[in-house]
Amino acid sequence: VFCGPANEALQYFARLGYRPTNVFNSAEAIIDIVGGIVLPEGATQPKSPAELAELFEDSAYAMRPSERGNSLGSAGEPQRGAWLMRRHATTKKTQFYALMQRQTLTMMRKKAQLKAGISKNLLSGLFYGILFFGQGHASDMVQCVVPNVSVDNCDSSLITLSPDGNNASSLLFLLLIFTLMSNLEAIPDLCSQGRLYRRELAAYAYSASPYWLVNMIVPLPRLLLYLVLLLNAAYFLLEFPANSLYGYTLGLSYASNVTAYYLSTLLAATLKSEAVALAIFPVLFVMLSQFAGFSIKLPDVPDAWVWATYVSFPRWVYEGQMVAFIRSSGFSGDQVDASLEYFGFKHWSPELSPFIALAFAAFFAALTYWNLRPPKDSLVKVDDVDTIMADSRGQDQEMEEVALLNTYNPLNSPSSEREGASPTSSQDYKPFTVEDYRAASTNAPRSRGCRLMFHDLTYSVPDRKDRRRELKILRGVSGRTQPGEVCALMGASGAGKSTLLDVLAGRKTTGTIGGGVLFY
């Protein structure tokens, strides 16, 4: 009775005079219309499914592509080009909301992974703070190598870090490296999600932009939680200045953490191989941190490698942290000037560091989206409608050939009748049997879709009458489906069909789920 974009179904039936009460679910509304629950305006009898089918056959939705292209733009019908341009069942906004729900639920249900991340960052912060207790407080930052000579009377080539300054700068750099390197563990998950994404993209289940945007947004609260636990556990034990420096350090560290995570997503989207991405990330990060200004001071960087200090985002983060620390530690004016000159940070404003880190994050995110886009040869050039219409004629010819095959196929007749001339009338047509379908499917090309396996799947919800009890909806359900198969899920009303599909799709937000589900 209808075949077209889901968000246009209610508009189509409204043109037929229907005003369904369920305007939030197109499928339920169509069921009410076909079942005769909802009548057309002014009618006393419902239209039969056959009548609805005839109305649909006369609409633009049921026309062949060539005919449909000529009718686009008429009053009350889809606009010209809109049908040809749409390649997904839902809009990008709907895809975004669906993916947000799926990714958020997936992240929340990985309780073991969340607990491990929380424990790792909290214990690492405590261990870090206890091991270096009180060493973040510095009475001076630099000193002159000549005894009893102050830094204001000392030559710049003879100035070096004091023990307190060396401790403080090392601790800030180690905190930076730890928070950034912790994003290495995200690569395996990103690569596994990428494999599923490419299959869904090939099947036009989702567009590239909603998937990309969701994967940029969903991990942000988790990254902030991990950073707050680590920083709170270590910052005050190290006795860094407890003033505005804490807020600045938290904001800058979060910006750099997001940048490192987006770098991980870029590697996963570009390389597509978990082993290669895991091997490249540490090497790339060591090269970037080498020019951050800690291992090699900026004034000491060879001229041939000065460019590396500008493309290294850890350099801008560390520079901002050090300048903010030096200026907020209560040093004398001579100490502040000498310290900034020693590191090469004298003319830097720390307020710019978060924005530069976010600019790197935006750059990595843009490159990730570029690599997530579908192959160029699969895109539709909607502007060239004449070319699309020409292609549709070939599609119409193919449909006619399929119709001829449906009229007669050698598999329809017994093996003794398959040799010789083909039948000359439609009376010789015989429907396929199960064995004929099996014989025909042996030569079918193997599908490249996704495979689904689920084992010992259980689902239970609390009893509304007695909260101490649980109602088991699914009990030890197992099964598997292969690409290209048609799987029918049958059962009486209330047997748990919809519940099983919701559990497999990750749409359940309440209850207890057990067992395993694997997409590969």
Side-chain angles (χ1 to χ4, degrees):
V1 295
F2 179 78
C3 181
N7 61 343
E8 297 178 10
L10 295 182
Q11 299 175 10
Y12 166 75
F13 284 103
R15 291 193 292 270
L16 299 180
Y18 287 95
R19 297 292 184 269
T21 56
N22 192 341
V23 296
F24 299 103
N25 192 320
S26 301
E28 294 289 346
I30 294 176
I31 291 175
D32 293 342
I33 292 172
V34 176
I37 300 176
V38 177
L39 304 180
E41 289 184 344
T44 58
Q45 295 293 330
K47 292 185 181 295
S48 66
E51 293 174 325
L52 293 173
E54 291 179 0
L55 293 173
F56 176 75
E57 291 296 331
D58 295 334
S59 68
Y61 291 101
M63 294 180 182
R64 290 183 175 183
S66 58
E67 298 171 349
R68 185 189 308 133
N70 295 328
S71 67
L72 293 175
S74 59
E77 297 294 342
Q79 295 296 320
R80 180 175 180 84
W83 182 280
L84 299 174
M85 183 171 59
R86 173 165 293 231
R87 307 194 72 175
H88 302 84
T90 56
T91 62
K92 291 185 178 181
K93 182 178 179 181
T94 303
Q95 296 172 30
F96 173 76
Y97 288 137
L99 285 169
M100 278 290 293
Q101 183 184 29
R102 187 180 77 174
Q103 295 292 82
T104 303
L105 289 176
T106 301
M107 183 180 66
M108 296 301 296
R109 283 175 177 167
K110 294 180 179 179
K111 296 181 179 179
Q113 186 176 355
L114 286 174
K115 290 179 180 178
I118 291 174
S119 301
K120 181 195 73 172
N121 285 274
L122 182 59
L123 294 176
S124 298
L126 290 173
F127 177 79
Y128 193 65
I130 293 173
L131 185 63
F132 302 102
F133 180 77
Q135 297 188 29
H137 175 74
S139 57
D140 55 4
M141 197 70 192
V142 293
Q143 64 183 12
C144 185
V145 296
V146 180
N148 301 324
V149 176
S150 60
V151 292
D152 56 334
N153 296 323
C154 185
D155 186 81
S156 59
S157 62
L158 299 178
I159 292 179
T160 185
L161 283 175
S162 66
D164 289 347
N166 187 44
N167 289 338
S169 61
S170 300
L171 292 175
L172 285 173
F173 184 73
L174 288 176
L175 274 176
L176 170 65
I177 294 301
F178 179 84
T179 55
L180 300 185
M181 283 296 294
S182 61
N183 292 282
L184 179 66
E185 63 189 26
I187 290 180
D189 280 345
L190 293 171
C191 289
S192 61
Q193 292 176 16
R195 288 190 289 270
L196 180 60
Y197 158 73
R198 287 188 290 274
R199 290 168 181 167
E200 292 177 336
L201 183 68
Y204 300 106
Y206 297 107
S207 303
S209 53
Y211 177 86
W212 164 79
L213 187 58
V214 166
N215 279 273
M216 296 295 105
I217 294 176
V218 170
L220 297 182
R222 175 172 55 87
L223 295 177
L224 180 60
L225 173 63
Y226 290 168
L227 179 62
V228 169
L229 292 174
L230 173 70
L231 201 60
N232 284 348
Y235 189 88
F236 298 104
L237 288 176
L238 295 173
E239 295 186 2
F240 282 119
N243 47 24
S244 59
L245 179 64
Y246 172 77
Y248 176 82
T249 303
L250 178 61
L252 181 57
S253 298
Y254 183 59
S256 63
N257 204 7
V258 171
T259 305
Y261 180 82
Y262 286 176
L263 178 59
S264 300
T265 61
L266 174 60
L267 290 176
T270 305
L271 301 174
K272 301 179 179 63
S273 171
E274 177 182 333
V276 177
L278 287 174
I280 290 181
F281 184 86
V283 177
L284 179 63
F285 199 80
V286 168
M287 293 181 62
L288 292 175
S289 59
Q290 189 73 17
F291 298 97
F294 176 78
S295 302
I296 305 175
K297 305 299 180 291
L298 294 185
D300 300 334
V301 176
D303 294 338
W305 291 95
V306 172
W307 61 269
T309 63
Y310 292 96
V311 300
S312 172
F313 74 89
R315 170 260 172 107
W316 304 104
V317 176
Y318 182 66
E319 186 172 3
Q321 287 182 340
M322 286 302 302
V323 173
F325 173 78
I326 292 172
R327 292 180 178 176
S328 62
S329 296
F331 299 140
S332 62
D334 295 335
Q335 273 285 332
V336 172
D337 294 339
S339 301
L340 295 178
E341 186 176 357
Y342 173 79
F343 285 100
F345 301 156
K346 188 173 183 179
H347 303 290
W348 182 246
S349 177
E351 291 79 9
L352 296 177
S353 292
F355 296 101
I356 293 181
L358 293 177
F360 273 97
F363 177 70
F364 293 149
L367 289 180
T368 301
Y369 174 70
W370 181 264
N371 285 278
L372 288 176
R373 294 170 67 247
K376 188 175 182 180
D377 58 356
S378 68
L379 298 177
V380 174
K381 188 176 182 180
V382 182
D383 297 334
D384 194 359
V385 179
D386 295 335
T387 301
I388 299 177
M389 291 297 100
D391 294 340
S392 68
R393 299 188 189 100
Q395 182 179 354
D396 294 340
Q397 183 179 359
E398 182 180 352
M399 293 172 63
E400 293 175 358
E401 294 174 356
V402 172
L404 290 175
L405 289 176
N406 289 336
T407 303
Y408 172 75
N409 191 301
L411 289 176
N412 294 337
S413 57
S415 58
S416 60
E417 301 177 1
R418 288 175 188 168
E419 299 179 358
S422 61
T424 58
S425 67
S426 60
Q427 296 178 352
D428 296 310
Y429 169 77
K430 296 180 182 180
F432 271 12
T433 64
V434 175
E435 294 300 327
D436 291 333
Y437 274 111
R438 288 177 178 174
S441 63
T442 55
N443 298 324
R446 183 178 180 182
S447 174
R448 299 174 60 187
C450 183
R451 291 161 175 79
L452 167 65
M453 294 184 63
F454 50 98
H455 176 69
D456 198 20
L457 205 60
T458 61
Y459 178 69
S460 58
V461 296
D463 191 347
R464 294 183 179 180
K465 298 181 180 179
D466 187 359
R467 291 290 180 178
R468 294 173 297 179
R469 295 180 51 200
E470 284 193 343
L471 297 178
K472 291 189 176 181
I473 311 300
L474 301 177
R475 298 172 179 264
V477 182
S478 301
R480 66 178 182 179
T481 58
Q482 301 291 337
E485 291 184 349
V486 177
C487 179
L489 189 61
M490 304 176 65
S493 178
K497 303 182 295 298
S498 300
T499 302
L500 175 59
L501 293 177
D502 288 341
V503 171
L504 294 176
R507 298 178 58 185
K508 283 297 182 184
T509 58
T510 59
T512 304
I513 299 175
V517 180
L518 175 63
F519 293 91
Y520 66 100

